[in-house]
Amino acid sequence: RKEVEQDPGPFNVPEGATVAFNCTYSNSASQSFFWYRQDCRKEPKLLMSVYSSGNEDGRFTAQLNRASQYISLLIRDSKLSDSATYLCVVRALGTGRRALTFGSGTRLQVQP
Amino acid sequence: DTAVSQTPKYLVTQMGNDKSIKCEQNLGHDTMYWYKQDSKKFLKIMFSYNNKELIINETVPNRFSPKSPDKAHLNLHINSLELGDSAVYFCASSQGTSALNYEQYFGPGTRLTVT
């Protein structure tokens, strides 16, 4: 089983739509959770961290469910510029382990 | 100013050759990483250095040898290149703290093609 699993998509949605992605992780020792965004042929960039209580940043809302070991990202009022691959990222606690485990990403295509 | 830079951006080489990729960060971070992103888009950690000390060494063939001359630089040398080494290699850096939530900054990637 992969450590971090995501539906690869693509999710094709019209502008203005609301879209949600889920991600599951297998390591119950995971402590930190993030959503990164990767545009085609570019490097990943942090979109937002995911906090236990859930958090919102403009049109983006992230939720964490530790009991079920999944993370979600909700995008409201989709824009063309939201088209990208969204990577679910998890970090497990451990001495010296500051690396991140990435999911393979969910591709979003917002259409006019 | 580029925060994390890598050279070269593209590298095309033949099987059996030895090549190096360089990475530099000007963010003052103390931890640097090498990741490999294969054709299926999985991004996997290869190595991590903290203040020039190797702290993560995943299951990577020993043909891959990282070197960190100082905490702002992390280079990757690959011996005897194989077809399966073709991928995009990303360098990243972060400022390690006791906090659990922190951001990694990625370089633009080096697209390696082995023919």
Side-chain angles (χ1 to χ4, degrees):
Chain A
R1 184 183 171 190
K2 293 177 194 152
E3 286 189 63
V4 180
E5 293 212 53
Q6 296 181 249
D7 180 344
F11 284 57
N12 294 306
V13 303
E15 267 188 291
T18 295
V19 61
F21 309 136
N22 286 332
C23 160
T24 58
Y25 60 95
S26 60
N27 186 349
S28 58
S30 298
Q31 294 289 321
S32 304
F33 309 91
F34 311 88
W35 284 100
Y36 273 69
R37 170 191 168 134
Q38 186 172 23
D39 292 301
C40 188
R41 299 179 80 86
K42 297 284 190 184
E43 70 273 23
K45 291 184 180 177
L46 180 67
L47 177 66
M48 58 196 303
S49 300
V50 186
Y51 302 120
S52 296
S53 53
N55 49 299
E56 191 174 303
D57 183 2
R59 298 181 293 108
F60 299 84
T61 300
Q63 297 278 353
L64 168 64
N65 184 319
R66 284 188 187 272
S68 303
Q69 294 183 202
Y70 81 78
I71 306 147
S72 64
L73 176 69
L74 182 80
I75 305 175
R76 288 181 299 279
D77 188 23
S78 299
K79 312 285 184 199
L80 293 176
S81 57
D82 293 335
S83 298
T85 296
Y86 291 84
L87 305 169
C88 174
V89 186
V90 167
R91 185 173 82 92
L93 194 62
T95 304
R97 288 201 64 85
R98 295 173 179 157
L100 306 173
T101 300
F102 285 77
S104 57
T106 297
R107 196 154 67 87
L108 171 66
Q109 185 66 47
V110 181
Q111 291 158 344
Chain B
D1 282 349
T2 304
V4 183
S5 59
Q6 292 179 231
T7 54
K9 196 166 181 181
Y10 299 95
L11 184 54
V12 181
T13 189
Q14 291 184 325
M15 282 175 60
N17 284 348
D18 304 339
K19 290 292 179 187
S20 291
I21 309 172
K22 297 187 175 183
C23 178
E24 176 181 1
Q25 53 95 3
N26 62 8
L27 298 167
H29 288 167
D30 63 357
T31 307
M32 295 184 73
Y33 313 81
W34 277 111
Y35 287 87
K36 178 180 178 180
Q37 188 169 42
D38 60 24
S39 57
K40 294 183 181 174
K41 305 302 181 187
F42 274 104
L43 201 64
K44 291 187 72 172
I45 182 71
M46 299 173 71
F47 302 102
S48 176
Y49 271 75
N50 174 250
N51 283 321
K52 303 196 298 174
E53 182 187 345
L54 181 66
I55 58 169
I56 294 175
N57 185 351
E58 291 294 308
T59 308
V60 176
N62 57 15
R63 298 181 294 104
F64 290 79
S65 51
K67 276 198 175 66
S68 181
D70 56 63
K71 70 177 191 177
H73 295 84
L74 180 61
N75 303 324
L76 183 66
H77 187 76
I78 316 170
N79 288 328
S80 304
L81 278 154
E82 300 177 359
L83 292 176
D85 298 334
S86 296
V88 181
Y89 292 83
F90 286 102
C91 176
S93 73
S94 67
Q95 183 58 39
T97 68
S98 59
L100 295 176
N101 290 313
Y102 64 94
E103 181 174 357
Q104 287 195 5
Y105 292 80
F106 284 79
T110 295
R111 189 171 295 273
L112 171 66
T113 304
V114 182
T115 62

